[in-house]
């Protein structure tokens, strides 16, 4: 239990997990830790959710994640755009999903949503708290400075979710290989200007993008051959944006009022290890990339969703620390793949006339549905397949093994209204889903010792959906299928691997 007391002038907090950073990744992690029964303190130097527009795209897998925790009703019906891009080449992102395409939700709204849920679940969120130091041996001790003085936090684990310039990463001296930015896009949200919408318009001297929503125009511009500036953490002046915009487009937007100006470069780095003993990393603290295709925020939220239930199980004592190693192996692999596709997109986006042959070829290739599906699966997160069985997932394995549980309608065996598979994940527990509808006594008996961690459901799939009758699926709390079969063989081993020692054996 989190405790808070005074030692002279220092506030002392005791908790299971300290999360540093209250952006989308840190807040998502806090909700999952609380759902899993772990006590959590979140510290962040900002006074509240970001007031800048920043990331504005939620991809299909992130929308599914929010749906699986019952969070979408609060969002209402945000605008959905089925068309995205790969390096500026138009790409249809629609794949089988409850929420295909890309959904336009301002980062401010995403943070507000996740902060409210974290608070409802009992997370202890400390705003205006700056991390100063940490040590991590048998446990973690961190020092922070808050609005009322110094704070000492003692935790079993710490997770750095504090962005691309992570203080946690610096304090633990975590190797962060990769490359620094060589090129950049300048970006500004501007009111009081009228320019035509541009979708990755390649002109003689550079790339220009513009879109106007509710009276605010977002412009982004890159001048071919212009290197990334050494900014020392400062943002560009609006005058710099207007100068480059004029050189590239010939238009004068200097009469507009800048609401927000920044630059983002093509730096591409990834931690060598997402876990350093009792210190772990998620989101931009673990990887730094150009936010091409809106992938950065989504990648971070999905990191947190993978880690939260695992870390909660470890601190709760129902799983061993080796479960945390699967966080690194799974998410480091996904991160490496995303960073690679972003590097390819940067070349196509920011390269000059020399990349036109490659762009022309890619335009032809994305017309082939297999190519389109592969790229769309990468960007949306729907194509992820985790290695849940060991060294590799064999080609003859069940097609859902390691993949997310599809959104499907089920007929409850006990009668009643149809329900979606997504609804069965709302509690944050594991799920053993028997699709023969008869209760499968052998399966129920095998899973009984894990009943405090895994719900058993015997339903029939609605005909014509993505699930077939007669199969049984063991689903992790993050919605990925960890075991599939038609009998009980291998089920106990999978339950032990992902949900710890059976209660009967304690």
């Amino acid at each position: 239990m989190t405790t808070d007391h005074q030692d002279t002038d220092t506030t002392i907090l005791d908790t299971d997990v300290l999360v540093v950073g209250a952006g989308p990744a840190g807040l998502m992690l806090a909700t999952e830790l609380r759902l899993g029964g772990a006590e959590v303190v979140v510290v962040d130097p900002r006074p509240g959710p970001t007031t800048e527009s920043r990331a504005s795209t939620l991809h299909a897998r992130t929308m599914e994640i929010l749906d699986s925790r019952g969070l979408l009703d609060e969002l209402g019906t945000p605008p959905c755009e089925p068309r995205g891009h790969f390096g500026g080449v138009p790409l249809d992102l629609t794949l089988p999903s409850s929420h295909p395409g890309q959904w336009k939700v301002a980062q401010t709204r995403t943070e507000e949503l996740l902060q409210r849920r974290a608070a409802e679940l009992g997370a202890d969120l400390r705003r205006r708290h700056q991390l100063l130091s940490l040590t991590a041996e048998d446990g973690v001790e961190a020092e922070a400075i808050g609005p009322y003085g110094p704070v000492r936090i003692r935790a079993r684990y710490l997770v750095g979710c504090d962005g691309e310039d992570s203080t946690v990463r610096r304090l633990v001296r975590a190797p962060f290989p990769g490359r620094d930015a060589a090129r950049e896009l300048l970006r500004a949200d501007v009111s009081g200007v009228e320019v035509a919408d541009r979708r990755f318009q390649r002109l003689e001297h550079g790339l220009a993008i513009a879109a106007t929503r509710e009276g605010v125009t977002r412009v982004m511009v890159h001048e071919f051959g212009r290197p990334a500036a050494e900014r020392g953490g400062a943002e560009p002046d609006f005058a710099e944006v207007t100068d480059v915009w004029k050189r590239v487009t010939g238009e004068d937007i200097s009469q507009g009022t800048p609401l927000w100006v920044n630059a983002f470069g093509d730096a591409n780095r990834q931690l060598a290890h997402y876990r350093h003993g009792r210190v772990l990393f998620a989101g931009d603290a673990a990887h730094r990339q150009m936010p091409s295709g809106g992938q950065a925020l989504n990648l971070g939220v999905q990191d947190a969703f993978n880690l939260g239930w695992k870390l909660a199980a470890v601190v709760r004592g129902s799983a061993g620390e080796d479960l945390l190693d699967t966080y690194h192996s799974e998410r480091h692999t996904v991160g490496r793949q995303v960073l690679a596709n972003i590097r390819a997109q940067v070349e196509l986006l920011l390269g000059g006339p020399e990349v036109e042959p490659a762009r022309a070829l890619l335009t032809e290739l994305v017309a082939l549905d297999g190519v389109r599906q592969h790229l769309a699966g990468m960007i949306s997160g729907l194509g992820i397949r985790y290695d849940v069985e060991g060294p590799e997932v064999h080609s003859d394995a069940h097609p859902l093994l390691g993949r997310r549980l599809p959104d499907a309608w089920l007929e409850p065996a006990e009668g009643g209204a149809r329900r979606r598979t997504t609804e069965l994940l709302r509690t944050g527990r594991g799920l053993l889903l028997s699709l023969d509808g008869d209760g499968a006594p052998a399966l129920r008996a095998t899973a009984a010792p894990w009943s405090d961690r895994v719900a058993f459901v015997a339903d029939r799939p609605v005909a014509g959906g993505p699930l077939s009758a007669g199969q049984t699926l063991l689903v992790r709390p993050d919605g990925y299928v960890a075991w599939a079969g038609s009998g009980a063989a291998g089920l106990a081993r999978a339950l032990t691997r992902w949900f710890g020692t059976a209660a009967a054996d304690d």
Side-chain angles (χ1 to χ4, degrees), residues 21 30 47 58 72 77 114 117 144 146 214 253 258 309 312 336 338 356 402 417 451 464:
L58 297 182
L72 285 188
T77 307
L114 294 173
R117 178 53 60 90
E214 299 179 353
I253 60 171
W309 68 274
R336 183 175 66 248
V338 170
E356 292 303 331
S451 61

Side-chain angles (χ1 to χ4, degrees), residues 256-276:
T257 301
L259 306 178
W260 176 54
V261 179
N262 83 332
F264 53 94
D266 63 346
N268 199 278
R269 291 185 176 276
Q270 184 181 26
L271 282 175
H273 301 283
Y274 283 14
R275 181 186 178 197
H276 290 250

Side-chain angles (χ1 to χ4, degrees), residues 95-153:
L95 293 173
S97 168
S98 58
H99 296 85
Q102 53 182 355
W103 300 76
K104 295 304 176 181
V105 180
Q107 183 171 330
T108 299
R109 186 73 186 92
T110 301
E111 291 188 15
E112 290 171 346
L113 176 72
L114 294 173
Q115 177 175 298
R116 185 156 47 250
R117 178 53 60 90
E120 289 171 353
L121 292 172
D124 183 354
L125 176 56
R126 306 270 173 147
R127 292 284 186 182
R128 297 186 176 92
H129 280 63
Q130 176 66 56
L131 181 71
L132 300 177
S133 66
L134 70 90
T135 58
E137 294 180 3
D138 294 336
V140 174
E141 287 208 11
E143 300 284 345
I145 188 69
Y148 304 109
V151 180
R152 181 185 306 161
I153 307 165

Side-chain angles (χ1 to χ4, degrees), residues 7-8 40 52 97 109 162 176 188 248 250 265 298 311 354 356 430 433 476 482 496:
D7 179 3
T8 64
V40 57
E52 299 170 344
S97 168
R109 186 73 186 92
D162 51 340
F176 196 43
V248 170
N298 293 270
L311 186 51
E354 73 278 2
E356 292 303 331
L433 180 60
R476 307 185 326 188
T496 301

